[in-house]
Amino acid sequence: MGSGPAPRRALAAAATAALLAAAPLGCAPGDPAAGPPPSGPAETPRPTPPQQLCTDLITHWAGVILGAGEGEDAVRLDYQAMGLSGGQYEILRAVLTDARAEQRAKGPDAARELTAREALRRCAERHRSGVPTGGPWQ
């Protein structure tokens, strides 16, 4: 004797096979629903250059921390939990010092502009000769 009704299992398997066999029929070549055919080989995504990644990370975390207000620890994360290396964290701290002063003097828009400008400059300096050395978190 079996462990369950065999006809139900066979029917379910047959229905699944029928659905899988019919699935490709919905988008035949030349079918308007299929969209235009590819015009060439698909482009392979390129990795983000280290300088750009550094700038993006610094700008992001500076915005989060500045948005929390003076003296508040908005993220309660260490530099590794933020996805930063030790060198990137040093850049973030320097940028935040300048941006906080700018925010007090000229407001949040000026602080965001300074953050973007300084992150770009400092990350470019850090990566001027390629990827920094000194260990995986430097």
Side-chain angles (χ1 to χ4, degrees), residues 2-15:
S3 62
R8 283 190 192 168
R9 272 192 245 135
L11 183 59

Side-chain angles (χ1 to χ4, degrees), residues 50-73:
Q51 178 182 339
Q52 183 63 48
L53 182 59
C54 173
T55 302
D56 292 348
L57 285 168
I58 302 302
T59 304
H60 169 77
W61 287 112
V64 169
I65 293 168
L66 286 172
E70 190 68 34
E72 297 181 36
D73 182 5

Side-chain angles (χ1 to χ4, degrees), residues 6-106:
R8 283 190 192 168
R9 272 192 245 135
L11 183 59
T16 301
L19 286 173
L20 290 174
L25 297 177
C27 293
D31 184 0
S39 60
E43 288 189 31
T44 303
R46 298 194 183 272
T48 304
Q51 178 182 339
Q52 183 63 48
L53 182 59
C54 173
T55 302
D56 292 348
L57 285 168
I58 302 302
T59 304
H60 169 77
W61 287 112
V64 169
I65 293 168
L66 286 172
E70 190 68 34
E72 297 181 36
D73 182 5
V75 293
R76 296 183 183 259
L77 298 172
D78 68 5
Y79 71 97
Q80 290 176 334
M82 287 188 259
L84 302 174
S85 67
Q88 290 167 335
Y89 186 62
E90 289 175 19
I91 293 172
L92 175 62
R93 290 178 47 190
V95 167
L96 281 172
T97 298
D98 296 344
R100 284 184 175 126
E102 188 79 359
Q103 188 169 16
R104 283 190 296 273
K106 299 180 182 174

